[in-house]
Amino acid sequence: YELALNNLYDALNLARLRGFETEASMIRNRIGWVNFHLGDLNQALALANEGLNSGRKQLRGDRVEALMLKGVVLTDLKQFNAARSALDSVLIINNQLGDIRGVSEALMNLGFLEAKQSHYETALTFYQRSIRLAEATNFSFMLAWSQWGIGEIYFKQGNFSSATKYLDLSERYCSLTNSNELLIFNFHTRRDLLAAQNNFKESLKYSMMASELKDSIHRTDLARRFVNL
């Protein structure tokens, strides 16, 4: 991520220098997402707001992306009302554009937002709506996320068999899309699920698998940096 961030900032500066406002808007959104994944939520939010408030030429899709970023970041910052406003806007615009995958993603993020507030039934409805659209468009990445979200909720509700079913489905789609970061979340939920069932041996196994996968991602990141030296 750090290497990507450096390259993106260089590209952003070049786009601004040459007056390529549309390209600069797209790159700024990418930088915002990288900052989000690095845990710098304030910087990610600042970049999303910069894009939304710039008043410069911007493709509608780039504005939607900035709104999505803002909603996701505000969810993690527990500013739930503002997050809901941003994500509702994404949902409305994507519906107007006929972007079914975009609608699926917005619904997934709304589900995550509601789950963060322990509004589990509302969250399940959003996740299930997201899954229906993702299945219709073969959107495997969103299937992985929404099924993990449902599995996480069922675990918290004590419905362990349903939790396991959805975690299995999510893991399968993680494998299809190489979604290793989501797979770490999946393994953490499995760890907690197995511990709640007093299956501590298997719980420890998933804990170690999550840790090893996280280390593997980090090692790959380092290897890419050396290749690009």
Side-chain angles (χ1 to χ4, degrees):
Y1 283 128
E2 290 88 348
L3 177 62
L5 201 58
N6 290 334
N7 291 337
L8 285 168
Y9 272 117
D10 288 342
L12 179 61
N13 290 333
L14 183 60
R16 285 172 169 166
L17 182 66
R18 297 190 175 180
F20 298 157
E21 296 300 337
T22 300
E23 290 77 5
S25 176
M26 180 185 68
I27 296 165
R28 183 172 49 237
N29 286 336
R30 296 273 181 89
I31 293 172
W33 282 112
V34 172
N35 276 283
F36 170 73
H37 287 297
L38 288 171
D40 192 344
L41 300 182
N42 290 326
Q43 180 64 9
L45 182 59
L47 287 160
N49 284 329
E50 181 184 337
L52 293 169
N53 299 326
S54 69
R56 295 175 179 173
K57 184 179 178 181
Q58 189 178 48
L59 295 176
R60 199 173 187 187
D62 290 335
R63 181 171 180 80
V64 171
E65 192 69 20
L67 280 166
M68 185 83 81
L69 174 60
K70 182 174 182 176
V72 170
V73 172
L74 288 170
T75 298
D76 272 17
L77 290 171
K78 299 184 179 180
Q79 297 181 32
F80 298 129
N81 290 335
R84 180 62 187 261
S85 177
L87 293 174
D88 279 344
S89 295
V90 173
L91 185 61
I92 290 167
I93 296 170
N94 280 334
N95 267 312
Q96 291 172 344
L97 293 172
D99 183 354
I100 304 303
R101 286 190 168 195
V103 171
S104 177
E105 185 176 1
L107 289 168
M108 184 279 293
N109 282 315
L110 283 164
F112 188 78
L113 168 65
E114 294 297 329
K116 277 273 193 176
Q117 300 170 85
S118 301
H119 301 160
Y120 294 137
E121 294 309 315
T122 304
L124 285 171
T125 299
F126 279 127
Y127 281 137
Q128 288 158 354
R129 288 172 62 193
S130 175
I131 285 171
R132 285 195 293 272
L133 294 177
E135 287 175 336
T137 55
N138 296 314
F139 197 3
S140 296
F141 181 65
M142 210 47 53
L143 286 168
W145 270 103
S146 290
Q147 285 164 343
W148 167 76
I150 290 176
E152 175 83 357
I153 288 173
Y154 280 141
F155 159 64
K156 290 179 177 177
Q157 291 181 328
N159 187 343
F160 296 157
S161 61
S162 292
T164 301
K165 171 188 170 183
Y166 279 95
L167 292 173
D168 285 345
L169 288 168
S170 176
E171 184 174 347
R172 188 178 78 189
Y173 282 106
C174 283
S175 298
L176 288 173
T177 56
N178 295 315
S179 303
N180 288 333
E181 291 183 342
L182 175 56
L183 193 55
I184 291 170
F185 292 158
N186 188 305
F187 288 167
H188 284 163
T189 304
R190 286 184 184 275
R191 173 200 65 197
D192 297 341
L193 171 63
L194 290 160
Q197 297 172 293
N198 297 319
N199 190 343
F200 298 113
K201 183 177 179 180
E202 285 295 302
S203 175
L204 178 61
K205 183 182 87 171
Y206 276 101
S207 180
M208 293 175 66
M209 286 168 63
S211 183
E212 288 169 2
L213 186 54
K214 189 173 182 179
D215 288 345
S216 174
I217 293 171
H218 180 64
R219 284 196 301 272
T220 301
D221 229 18
L222 286 175
R224 285 174 180 160
R225 284 189 223 174
F226 283 116
V227 166
N228 286 275
L229 284 177

